[in-house]
Short mmCIF file of all heavy atoms in Angstrom, two decimals:
data_model
loop_
_atom_site.label_atom_id
_atom_site.label_comp_id
_atom_site.label_asym_id
_atom_site.label_seq_id
_atom_site.Cartn_x
_atom_site.Cartn_y
_atom_site.Cartn_z
N LEU A 226 -13.47 1.75 3.50
CA LEU A 226 -12.63 2.32 4.55
C LEU A 226 -11.58 1.31 4.96
O LEU A 226 -11.83 0.11 4.96
CB LEU A 226 -13.49 2.68 5.76
CG LEU A 226 -14.28 3.98 5.67
CD1 LEU A 226 -15.31 4.03 6.80
CD2 LEU A 226 -13.35 5.17 5.77
N PRO A 228 -9.29 0.43 8.19
CA PRO A 228 -9.11 0.81 9.58
C PRO A 228 -7.67 0.78 10.04
O PRO A 228 -7.36 1.20 11.13
CB PRO A 228 -9.94 -0.25 10.33
CG PRO A 228 -9.84 -1.46 9.47
CD PRO A 228 -9.79 -0.95 8.07
N ASN A 276 -16.28 -15.13 8.10
CA ASN A 276 -17.61 -14.66 8.48
C ASN A 276 -18.63 -15.74 8.17
O ASN A 276 -18.43 -16.57 7.28
CB ASN A 276 -17.97 -13.38 7.72
CG ASN A 276 -18.75 -12.41 8.58
OD1 ASN A 276 -19.46 -12.82 9.50
ND2 ASN A 276 -18.61 -11.12 8.30
N CYS A 290 -9.98 -7.75 8.30
CA CYS A 290 -10.32 -6.60 9.13
C CYS A 290 -11.82 -6.40 9.25
O CYS A 290 -12.28 -5.68 10.13
CB CYS A 290 -9.65 -5.34 8.58
SG CYS A 290 -10.16 -4.92 6.89
N LYS A 291 -12.61 -7.02 8.36
CA LYS A 291 -14.06 -6.88 8.44
C LYS A 291 -14.73 -8.24 8.63
O LYS A 291 -15.84 -8.46 8.15
CB LYS A 291 -14.57 -6.18 7.18
CG LYS A 291 -14.09 -4.74 7.09
CD LYS A 291 -14.53 -4.05 5.83
CE LYS A 291 -13.95 -2.64 5.79
NZ LYS A 291 -14.24 -1.94 4.52
N GLY A 292 -14.02 -9.13 9.31
CA GLY A 292 -14.60 -10.43 9.62
C GLY A 292 -15.15 -10.46 11.04
O GLY A 292 -14.81 -9.63 11.89
N ARG A 293 -16.04 -11.43 11.29
CA ARG A 293 -16.59 -11.61 12.63
C ARG A 293 -15.90 -12.80 13.29
O ARG A 293 -15.82 -13.89 12.69
CB ARG A 293 -18.10 -11.85 12.57
CG ARG A 293 -18.89 -10.58 12.44
CD ARG A 293 -20.38 -10.83 12.47
NE ARG A 293 -20.83 -11.51 11.26
CZ ARG A 293 -22.08 -11.48 10.83
NH1 ARG A 293 -23.00 -10.86 11.51
NH2 ARG A 293 -22.43 -12.11 9.73
N ALA A 303 -19.19 -6.93 22.71
CA ALA A 303 -19.10 -5.97 21.63
C ALA A 303 -20.21 -6.16 20.63
O ALA A 303 -20.69 -5.22 20.00
CB ALA A 303 -17.74 -6.08 20.92
N ALA A 304 -20.65 -7.42 20.45
CA ALA A 304 -21.73 -7.69 19.51
C ALA A 304 -23.07 -7.19 20.03
O ALA A 304 -24.02 -7.03 19.28
CB ALA A 304 -21.82 -9.19 19.23
N GLY A 305 -23.13 -6.94 21.33
CA GLY A 305 -24.36 -6.40 21.90
C GLY A 305 -25.39 -7.44 22.27
O GLY A 305 -26.47 -7.10 22.74
N ALA A 311 -18.26 -11.32 16.89
CA ALA A 311 -18.42 -9.87 16.73
C ALA A 311 -17.41 -9.36 15.72
O ALA A 311 -16.42 -10.02 15.43
CB ALA A 311 -18.20 -9.17 18.07
N TYR A 312 -17.67 -8.17 15.20
CA TYR A 312 -16.69 -7.49 14.36
C TYR A 312 -15.64 -6.87 15.29
O TYR A 312 -15.91 -5.90 15.98
CB TYR A 312 -17.36 -6.40 13.53
CG TYR A 312 -18.26 -6.94 12.44
CD1 TYR A 312 -19.63 -6.87 12.56
CD2 TYR A 312 -17.72 -7.53 11.29
CE1 TYR A 312 -20.45 -7.37 11.56
CE2 TYR A 312 -18.53 -8.02 10.29
CZ TYR A 312 -19.91 -7.94 10.43
OH TYR A 312 -20.73 -8.44 9.45
N LEU A 313 -14.44 -7.43 15.30
CA LEU A 313 -13.42 -6.97 16.23
C LEU A 313 -12.72 -5.73 15.72
O LEU A 313 -12.23 -4.91 16.50
CB LEU A 313 -12.40 -8.07 16.49
CG LEU A 313 -12.96 -9.37 17.05
CD1 LEU A 313 -11.83 -10.32 17.38
CD2 LEU A 313 -13.81 -9.11 18.28
N PHE A 314 -12.59 -5.58 14.39
CA PHE A 314 -11.88 -4.44 13.83
C PHE A 314 -12.85 -3.39 13.31
O PHE A 314 -12.83 -2.25 13.74
CB PHE A 314 -10.96 -4.88 12.68
CG PHE A 314 -9.89 -5.85 13.11
CD1 PHE A 314 -10.06 -7.21 12.94
CD2 PHE A 314 -8.71 -5.39 13.67
CE1 PHE A 314 -9.08 -8.10 13.33
CE2 PHE A 314 -7.73 -6.27 14.06
CZ PHE A 314 -7.91 -7.64 13.89
N GLU A 315 -13.68 -3.76 12.34
CA GLU A 315 -14.58 -2.79 11.73
C GLU A 315 -15.74 -3.51 11.06
O GLU A 315 -15.54 -4.53 10.39
CB GLU A 315 -13.84 -1.95 10.69
CG GLU A 315 -14.69 -0.84 10.10
CD GLU A 315 -14.00 -0.14 8.94
OE1 GLU A 315 -13.24 -0.80 8.23
OE2 GLU A 315 -14.25 1.04 8.75
N GLU A 316 -16.93 -2.99 11.23
CA GLU A 316 -18.08 -3.53 10.51
C GLU A 316 -18.04 -3.06 9.06
O GLU A 316 -17.55 -1.96 8.77
CB GLU A 316 -19.38 -3.07 11.16
CG GLU A 316 -19.57 -3.60 12.56
CD GLU A 316 -20.91 -3.24 13.12
OE1 GLU A 316 -21.79 -2.83 12.34
OE2 GLU A 316 -21.09 -3.36 14.34
N PRO A 317 -18.55 -3.85 8.12
CA PRO A 317 -18.60 -3.41 6.73
C PRO A 317 -19.41 -2.12 6.60
O PRO A 317 -20.56 -2.05 7.03
CB PRO A 317 -19.29 -4.57 6.01
CG PRO A 317 -19.06 -5.75 6.88
CD PRO A 317 -19.06 -5.22 8.29
N THR A 318 -18.82 -1.12 6.03
CA THR A 318 -19.48 0.17 5.81
C THR A 318 -18.68 0.93 4.76
O THR A 318 -17.54 0.59 4.48
CB THR A 318 -19.56 0.99 7.12
OG1 THR A 318 -20.36 2.15 6.90
CG2 THR A 318 -18.19 1.40 7.60
N SER A 319 -19.28 1.93 4.17
CA SER A 319 -18.59 2.71 3.15
C SER A 319 -18.53 4.18 3.54
O SER A 319 -19.45 4.72 4.16
CB SER A 319 -19.31 2.61 1.79
OG SER A 319 -19.14 1.33 1.23
N GLU A 379 -21.10 -0.49 1.03
CA GLU A 379 -20.77 -1.81 1.58
C GLU A 379 -21.58 -2.06 2.84
O GLU A 379 -21.66 -1.20 3.73
CB GLU A 379 -19.27 -1.87 1.89
CG GLU A 379 -18.78 -3.22 2.35
CD GLU A 379 -17.27 -3.22 2.58
OE1 GLU A 379 -16.65 -2.15 2.45
OE2 GLU A 379 -16.74 -4.28 2.89
N GLY A 380 -22.17 -3.26 2.93
CA GLY A 380 -22.91 -3.63 4.12
C GLY A 380 -24.19 -2.84 4.32
O GLY A 380 -24.83 -2.93 5.38
N THR A 382 -24.46 0.28 4.82
CA THR A 382 -24.32 1.41 5.73
C THR A 382 -23.24 2.36 5.20
O THR A 382 -22.31 1.94 4.52
CB THR A 382 -23.92 0.97 7.14
OG1 THR A 382 -22.67 0.27 7.10
CG2 THR A 382 -24.97 0.06 7.75
N THR A 384 -20.90 6.18 6.14
CA THR A 384 -20.40 7.00 7.24
C THR A 384 -19.55 8.13 6.69
O THR A 384 -19.03 8.04 5.56
CB THR A 384 -19.55 6.11 8.19
OG1 THR A 384 -18.94 6.95 9.18
CG2 THR A 384 -18.41 5.44 7.44
N TRP A 392 -17.46 7.60 13.14
CA TRP A 392 -17.28 6.15 13.20
C TRP A 392 -16.86 5.69 14.58
O TRP A 392 -16.79 4.52 14.86
CB TRP A 392 -16.21 5.73 12.19
CG TRP A 392 -14.90 6.45 12.35
CD1 TRP A 392 -14.68 7.79 12.22
CD2 TRP A 392 -13.65 5.88 12.72
NE1 TRP A 392 -13.36 8.08 12.46
CE2 TRP A 392 -12.71 6.94 12.76
CE3 TRP A 392 -13.22 4.58 12.97
CZ2 TRP A 392 -11.36 6.72 13.09
CZ3 TRP A 392 -11.89 4.38 13.28
CH2 TRP A 392 -10.98 5.44 13.34
#
Side-chain angles (χ1 to χ4, degrees):
L226 281 167
N276 217 332
C290 60
K291 294 177 182 175
R293 278 183 291 201
Y312 290 106
L313 302 186
F314 298 97
E315 185 187 32
E316 295 185 15
T318 187
S319 288
E379 185 177 4
T382 60
T384 174
W392 55 297

